[in-house]
Amino acid sequence: MIEILKKAFDKFDALIILAAIFLFMHFDYDNLSLIDKIYIASFSVWAVMKAIRVYILYNNEKG
């Protein structure tokens, strides 16, 4: 499983995750701007697509 994660993630993915953690900690959730909502939506789409990539790599390794 570690090999699959190494194939799926690279250093830019780590930067995206670190930026997301930083921004999500500093959002004013009571008063989100349009840019904040767009960033949350785009990060969610990125996370779903990354999960799909890991799933596909896992199935290819298994079969």
Side-chain angles (χ1 to χ4, degrees):
M1 186 66 175
I2 297 296
E3 294 299 321
I4 295 170
L5 292 176
K6 284 182 182 179
K7 287 181 185 178
F9 288 91
D10 61 355
K11 54 186 153 188
F12 292 113
D13 292 327
L15 290 175
I16 291 170
I17 292 170
L18 289 175
I21 290 171
F22 178 78
L23 289 173
F24 287 156
M25 288 174 50
H26 292 93
F27 278 156
D28 179 16
Y29 288 100
D30 291 332
N31 189 19
L32 287 175
S33 68
L34 180 63
I35 300 297
D36 296 338
K37 291 175 186 177
I38 291 171
Y39 180 75
I40 291 170
S42 64
F43 181 76
S44 300
V45 168
W46 175 85
V48 168
M49 290 172 47
K50 188 57 74 170
I52 291 170
R53 178 177 168 89
V54 169
Y55 176 75
I56 290 170
L57 287 172
Y58 177 74
N59 280 340
N60 286 343
E61 288 285 323
K62 197 171 65 169

